Amino acid sequence: MPADARARQRTGTGLGLFLALALVLGAVLLTAGPEGDGGQDACRARTVASWAAEPDLTGEFARYGDDASRADDWTGGDGTHSVRLPDGRVLWLFSDTYLGQVHRPPNPAGESYAWRDTTAPLVRNSAVVMKDGRLDSTLPAPLFADPAPGQWRWPVAARVEPRSPGSSEQVVRVVLWTRTTGAYPWIYGVPAATEVATLSLPGLRLEGVTSVLDQQGVQDPARRVLFGTTALTHDEDWTYVFGGDDARAAAQPVSKAYVARVPRGRLADPAAWRYWDGERWTIPSLMKPVLGDGGHKGVGSAFTVARDAGTYVLFTMAAGAEGLTAVTSYWACSPTGPWHGPGKTFSPPLPERRAGVAAYNPQVHPALGAVGRGGLVLSYDVNWLDAGGGTAAQANLSRNVSLYRPRFVTLRLGPE
């Protein structure tokens, strides 16, 4: 072969190797995407190393709920979520909520519990404003009106974001679950749709509600997915919104978790939502679960995700009988998984140790910051279970008002 031909061959081979290496490097970078971590934020296994009750936070909701100076205030609720506003206030969002008056003990049964009358108003959602660590006022309730007869809205995750990408004006976006009246086993309603509400700042005036994902076309209610049980921002570009199906209402051991991502400033734009299908972000009909095997790995109907350095940690009620009292966790290096676990469980305190009293809906509250060194504030709701959906639950929640209020613990994470 002539020397110039050999030179051209060597040059071509070198260029080919360079291009191949560049393509491999590009593929690695694209695969890492916005979830990649390294250096000090390297992902590592995390689980709950210790926990402690937070009586001051729990007591603040008891103080506010027991205050009888106004008759239109929050006295109890579940579905606890929070978001810190730009001016330092914290907006607390609740699903089913009792208003009205709370009476000092003893209750009509002679027990030493503060109580409410069984005719006290119950609304489907509410919002309470906290200033300087003290609950201050209840917004007119319900904040989010029923979309139609037999339907209602439960607020879940909320985020402050630009009104539109690049805008200097900020608003609060609140993700809503729309549910419809159903018969057993759907005593807490049939999943219908995910919506997003926009609240003005600083006035917290409701500007409108947008439907993001309508699931009423999915024939099996247990396969309908509602998003917003938790949401977190990885960086300035994306908000990750987690959701789940309602398999547990259909007597499955656990539900499955899903994740979508949305560009910052576009939570109220359904066209901007993309859903993970196991390989890429795509349309909702192709989404696949990121956690849940149909057996003992999975989530409750409401769960939460926090970020500890480079690790994502998911908290949920445990599977099986423990799911009424015990919280467990999973960890992953990306919102899309793979998720490892479940980890060891812990059982936070309940106001009454008797059959029927249950804990549910664990939620991390970044709005409160860390309590102590490396602490995460986690709330859990307490309720009286009534499988028949009858009046027994309402009667028990009224005889002891502490049963239907959030309670708080501080978690400290450590190696698995």
Side-chain angles (χ1 to χ4, degrees):
M1 181 182 296
D4 61 341
R6 288 195 298 270
R8 285 194 301 270
Q9 186 183 53
R10 286 194 300 270
T11 303
T13 302
L15 180 60
L17 288 172
F18 173 79
L19 289 174
L21 288 171
L23 288 171
V24 170
L25 179 60
V28 171
L29 292 174
L30 285 173
T31 302
E35 295 94 353
D37 289 295
Q40 293 183 342
D41 289 341
C43 178
R44 59 193 185 279
R46 306 296 280 168
T47 190
V48 176
S50 64
W51 64 273
E54 280 296 330
D56 291 345
L57 274 170
T58 301
E60 175 58 17
F61 281 87
R63 179 202 66 80
Y64 185 78
D66 289 348
D67 184 353
S69 61
R70 288 173 291 191
D72 60 347
D73 271 13
W74 179 98
T75 65
D78 71 350
T80 310
H81 290 79
S82 67
V83 60
R84 182 169 290 277
L85 306 180
D87 59 10
R89 294 176 297 164
V90 176
L91 179 66
W92 292 88
L93 296 159
F94 296 92
S95 297
D96 289 352
T97 299
Y98 282 103
L99 305 176
Q101 295 283 330
V102 167
H103 307 287
R104 295 177 181 274
N107 65 15
E111 299 169 313
S112 58
Y113 299 134
W115 60 284
R116 70 172 66 85
D117 193 87
T118 55
T119 61
L122 177 70
V123 294
R124 286 300 192 177
N125 57 76
S126 67
V128 182
V129 177
M130 174 181 276
K131 295 180 180 178
D132 300 322
R134 191 173 175 85
L135 296 170
D136 177 75
S137 60
T138 300
L139 299 182
L143 181 59
F144 310 104
D146 294 347
Q151 295 188 348
W152 63 88
R153 289 170 168 140
W154 284 343
V156 279
R159 283 291 176 270
V160 173
E161 68 170 15
R163 181 175 289 279
S164 59
S167 172
S168 60
E169 184 183 5
Q170 292 184 304
V171 294
V172 181
R173 309 285 193 199
V174 181
V175 187
L176 306 172
W177 286 351
T178 301
R179 302 180 82 92
T180 62
T181 302
Y184 182 85
W186 307 101
I187 59 174
Y188 300 112
V190 179
T194 299
E195 301 177 307
V196 173
T198 299
L199 302 179
S200 67
L201 285 171
L204 299 174
R205 179 179 59 85
L206 177 61
E207 296 185 350
V209 176
T210 301
S211 178
V212 168
L213 183 64
D214 193 328
Q215 292 282 274
Q216 295 179 86
V218 178
Q219 294 303 308
D220 182 0
R223 298 175 64 88
R224 296 179 180 180
V225 181
L226 299 185
F227 282 86
T229 179
T230 187
L232 71 161
T233 303
H234 175 93
D235 51 33
E236 290 302 313
D237 295 325
W238 301 101
T239 298
Y240 292 89
V241 187
F242 288 82
D245 59 31
D246 225 352
R248 295 192 89 168
Q252 298 297 319
V254 290
S255 297
K256 296 181 176 67
Y258 298 75
V259 65
R261 74 175 185 180
V262 190
R264 292 290 304 280
R266 298 186 66 183
L267 274 172
D269 178 3
W273 286 58
R274 292 292 181 269
Y275 306 82
W276 187 248
D277 73 350
E279 295 182 357
R280 61 186 63 83
W281 301 100
T282 183
I283 59 177
S285 61
L286 299 178
M287 64 182 170
K288 293 182 180 178
V290 296
L291 175 60
D293 61 4
H296 295 287
K297 287 198 173 199
V299 295
S301 57
F303 58 93
T304 189
V305 178
R307 193 155 183 259
D308 181 57
T311 306
Y312 293 85
V313 186
L314 183 153
F315 301 96
T316 184
M317 301 309 296
E322 278 193 306
L324 301 179
T325 59
V327 178
T328 191
S329 63
Y330 296 81
W331 67 272
C333 297
S334 162
T336 61
W339 289 92
H340 307 276
K344 61 184 178 182
T345 65
F346 71 94
S347 295
L350 294 172
E352 288 188 31
R353 289 289 182 183
R354 62 165 71 185
V357 178
Y360 60 106
N361 186 37
Q363 289 293 323
V364 171
H365 295 277
L368 301 182
V371 175
R373 186 176 180 181
L376 293 174
V377 178
L378 182 136
S379 69
Y380 57 100
D381 296 329
V382 177
N383 207 334
W384 185 281
L385 297 183
D386 183 358
T391 59
Q394 183 180 8
N396 281 287
L397 298 182
S398 296
R399 58 171 272 278
N400 179 2
V401 296
S402 70
L403 287 176
Y404 200 56
R405 290 173 177 168
R407 304 176 78 82
F408 296 85
V409 294
T410 295
L411 309 179
R412 286 174 175 80
L413 304 183
E416 191 176 41

